[in-house]
Amino acid sequence: MNGGDRIFLPITVKQEVPSEKQKLYCNEEEANFIRSLVLYKDPAIVVVNKPPGMAVQGGIGIKTSLDELAAACLSYDHSEPPRLVHRLDRDSSGILVLGRTQISATVLHSIFREKTCGAKDDIDNEERILQRKYWALVIGSPRRPKGLISAPLGKVVVDNGKSDRITIIDNPQNMSAQLAITEYQVIKSSCHGFTWLELSPLTGRKHQLRVHCAEALGTPIVGDLKYGWQAHRNLKQLPCPMKSNENPTKGKTVPFGLDLESGSISEKHPHLHLHCKQMVLPNVSEALQNVQFSSNYDLSEVESLELVAPLPSHMQRSWDILNS
């Protein structure tokens, strides 16, 4: 834009976006639920196991988001609220890292950003300072048990401009194409036509794992109707073996209208089966304690944090069903 340019917006935008953001307040039940999601915290970061169905960031049509809830419930003894440094899709789950101070958030953001920018040079590096491993249940099975997907992604408009989606761009010279690299390997295959995959994204593009699974491997993720609706048309429900100790929280109300019990492959409409299960990243708190820390500080010399998030209920139930 140039100086003096004017922007005209529909009046509906002004109505949807409040002029002054109000601070979110949580009752005791809501606050306890958000705190129960915490996997790890130190002076620099707080890590939560994001539940499926909860948006990470606010927007039009979103009443509550994890960034606002974290600011309200996870500040603890800090005067600053936790800040987002990366994203997870609303319907996915797993490890989400937030910076507890402006400095730690800046460092973490650079780690995630540089991971994407240097992905080409990081393919053969087994000691990457940032490692992420997702578990996904997919429909079908890849031709090879493991491999590397390097397929650039771009956004296309569909439904006469009413919506958009991410897709693999055949021409990498296309201005809208973004480098996207994913390592994958099969964890376990099922005779029912499902496969458990471990996915390691070397870049951080929007919907990267969902599109790479659906378009590059031809195995869309269970519950992903946006990129795998055709495969779901003939998807059959599998019977769920009941156990005496199953669903200890069944019937209990979960805050924020979340449905954390249904959605396995035993149901007609399964939830998205994509979960950030493991992450290894530098101990930012230790790095910030070093008086010589600077923008070119070598984070590979810092001790690593290894984080693990248990599967959400619907994915654990699908795992049990396929192993029964």
Side-chain angles (χ1 to χ4, degrees):
M1 296 183 65
N2 299 316
D5 287 351
R6 302 175 67 185
I7 300 176
F8 295 90
L9 298 175
I11 192 171
T12 52
V13 173
K14 185 177 181 181
Q15 293 171 345
E16 290 283 357
V17 182
S19 57
E20 186 174 335
K21 195 173 184 179
Q22 296 182 345
K23 186 176 180 180
L24 179 67
Y25 290 95
C26 297
N27 60 38
E28 184 177 359
E29 180 189 13
E30 294 170 339
N32 289 337
F33 174 75
I34 295 300
R35 289 170 188 146
S36 73
L37 304 176
V38 174
L39 297 170
Y40 171 86
K41 69 180 176 71
D42 63 25
I45 70 172
V46 59
V47 182
V48 299
N49 184 10
K50 187 191 91 67
M54 177 174 282
V56 168
Q57 196 167 27
I60 295 176
I62 297 176
K63 295 182 179 179
T64 54
S65 57
L66 194 50
D67 61 341
E68 293 179 320
L69 294 168
C73 306
L74 301 181
S75 293
Y76 297 104
D77 56 344
H78 278 47
S79 59
E80 302 177 63
R83 296 171 171 85
L84 290 176
V85 296
H86 68 115
R87 306 286 189 273
L88 287 176
D89 288 350
R90 179 174 186 165
D91 293 326
S92 64
S93 58
I95 297 172
L96 185 74
V97 181
L98 301 101
R100 298 189 69 188
T101 66
Q102 178 65 61
I103 296 175
S104 64
T106 300
V107 174
L108 287 163
H109 190 267
S110 67
I111 291 173
F112 282 88
R113 183 180 65 247
E114 290 172 12
K115 173 74 173 178
T116 293
C117 295
K120 278 187 176 180
D121 302 323
D122 213 21
I123 292 176
D124 297 322
N125 182 8
E126 296 182 357
E127 297 183 357
R128 308 180 187 107
I129 64 169
L130 176 64
Q131 301 175 42
R132 292 167 291 176
K133 293 182 179 180
Y134 288 71
W135 274 29
L137 180 62
V138 300
I139 302 171
S141 182
R143 293 182 180 179
R144 298 180 178 86
K146 64 178 181 179
L148 181 75
I149 304 169
S150 181
L153 304 178
K155 182 185 292 186
V156 295
V157 177
V158 294
D159 297 333
N160 294 322
K162 296 179 181 178
S163 60
D164 57 63
R165 57 180 287 144
I166 308 299
T167 188
I168 291 176
I169 303 296
D170 294 328
N171 179 15
Q173 303 303 319
N174 188 307
M175 292 294 291
S176 65
Q178 291 183 310
L179 173 70
I181 303 174
T182 304
E183 291 180 334
Y184 76 91
Q185 66 174 2
V186 171
I187 299 173
K188 194 167 188 177
S189 295
S190 166
C191 60
H192 298 287
F194 297 97
T195 304
W196 287 97
L197 297 181
E198 181 183 86
L199 305 166
S200 300
L202 273 63
T203 52
R205 306 303 185 190
K206 181 180 179 180
H207 294 177
Q208 174 177 323
L209 300 182
R210 297 165 62 181
V211 177
H212 276 179
C213 283
E215 297 188 12
L217 296 180
T219 56
I221 298 174
V222 171
D224 190 357
L225 298 181
K226 186 178 183 72
Y227 298 105
W229 65 272
Q230 290 180 314
H232 282 77
R233 289 187 302 179
N234 300 319
L235 196 63
K236 296 181 180 179
Q237 297 172 239
L238 297 181
C240 181
M242 296 300 295
K243 298 179 182 179
S244 58
N245 61 345
E246 191 175 16
N247 288 355
T249 61
K250 189 171 183 179
K252 293 185 178 180
T253 303
V254 179
F256 312 112
L258 296 175
D259 178 8
L260 303 183
E261 291 306 318
S262 64
S264 73
I265 53 174
S266 67
E267 299 178 45
K268 186 175 181 180
H269 301 291
H271 294 169
L272 184 69
H273 281 54
L274 179 62
H275 177 73
C276 184
K277 193 172 189 297
Q278 295 174 273
M279 186 180 294
V280 177
L281 74 162
N283 189 327
V284 174
S285 180
E286 177 187 318
L288 291 175
Q289 290 174 11
N290 190 321
V291 295
Q292 297 178 341
F293 181 82
S294 63
S295 59
N296 58 357
Y297 186 88
D298 188 359
L299 288 170
S300 64
E301 298 178 359
V302 179
E303 179 183 350
S304 294
L305 292 175
E306 297 185 14
L307 307 164
V308 179
L311 292 174
S313 297
H314 70 286
M315 289 184 66
Q316 183 62 54
R317 195 168 296 112
S318 292
W319 174 270
D320 294 338
I321 291 170
L322 294 175
N323 287 328
S324 62

